[in-house]
Amino acid sequence: EVLLEESVADMIAALPPLAYTGPAVEARHAHAVGSVDIFIAGALWFPAAGAAWVRHRGRKLSAADGSLSLVNSRNSSGIDSYGSYFRTAWRWADRDEANATAPFAFETAVRRYESHVAFEQTFLSGASATATGDKDGLVSGYPSFRLPASAATDPVRRGYLSYQGQMVGAGYKTGEWEASAAE
């Protein structure tokens, strides 16, 4: 466990300094249930691309089509090693398991700190038959953001950190946030 924590800490330490030192970051509910837009100093920096989704029992459940249904949402606040935060969490269920004794439960959340946001996905009851048939396929999607078409049409520079590999911390990639980053 210590090696993993140290390797992730080393990766983060190797990142270039953050350019953002301004006003607080805001995460606002977007057009789709369970999606968020990220604003900095009142300007939209990361527009939501779609609703939350997850694979369970061989199907893709999505908030967009209602197969992943919102059970509740709740707000809380606290303090952790990153500072004070305000958290919004959405609890989801498989619409077809609503009356089951032990229904599928999935939670998405966003923590808003003064200068950054952190996103969470929690499989509260586990999930089954999540395989996509593609070794690079995703089991869930939250959050998702639209990439700018090009730096020429969107002059704001943004960066990203993407964990990769079979285990968190096995590899990572950093880069400029633009359409070519999706490759």
Side-chain angles (χ1 to χ4, degrees):
E1 290 181 328
V2 174
L3 282 176
L4 178 60
E5 288 176 13
E6 287 176 2
S7 67
V8 171
D10 290 344
M11 285 185 272
I12 292 170
L15 294 174
L18 295 175
Y20 174 72
T21 58
V25 172
E26 297 176 64
R28 299 181 191 164
H29 299 284
H31 55 279
V33 174
S35 64
V36 293
D37 289 324
I38 304 299
F39 291 81
I40 297 177
L44 180 60
W45 274 52
F46 297 103
W53 63 269
V54 64
R55 289 190 58 80
H56 174 60
R57 294 195 178 182
R59 298 180 302 137
K60 181 178 177 180
L61 307 175
S62 174
D65 67 11
S67 57
L68 186 64
S69 60
L70 182 63
V71 175
N72 63 42
S73 63
R74 62 189 183 287
N75 296 315
S76 61
S77 60
I79 299 174
D80 62 18
S81 60
Y82 298 108
S84 298
Y85 64 84
F86 182 79
R87 181 177 187 262
T88 300
W90 296 272
R91 187 172 184 158
W92 306 94
D94 180 341
R95 176 185 59 208
D96 295 341
E97 294 182 9
N99 296 319
T101 305
F104 172 72
F106 178 64
E107 184 176 84
T108 57
V110 59
R111 287 182 189 223
R112 294 176 296 284
Y113 296 85
E114 182 178 346
S115 64
H116 64 281
V117 295
F119 299 97
E120 306 169 31
Q121 295 181 28
T122 307
F123 290 83
L124 300 170
S125 62
S128 62
T130 60
T132 66
D134 175 358
K135 69 178 181 72
D136 294 323
L138 299 175
V139 172
S140 60
Y142 173 83
S144 62
F145 299 109
R146 263 183 295 131
L147 294 169
S150 73
T153 60
D154 186 7
V156 177
R157 294 186 65 203
R158 302 168 184 90
Y160 67 89
L161 165 64
S162 172
Y163 294 108
Q164 301 172 341
Q166 294 184 1
M167 303 288 284
V168 171
Y172 69 97
K173 181 177 180 180
T174 62
E176 187 102 11
W177 185 277
E178 57 187 2
S180 64
E183 299 169 356

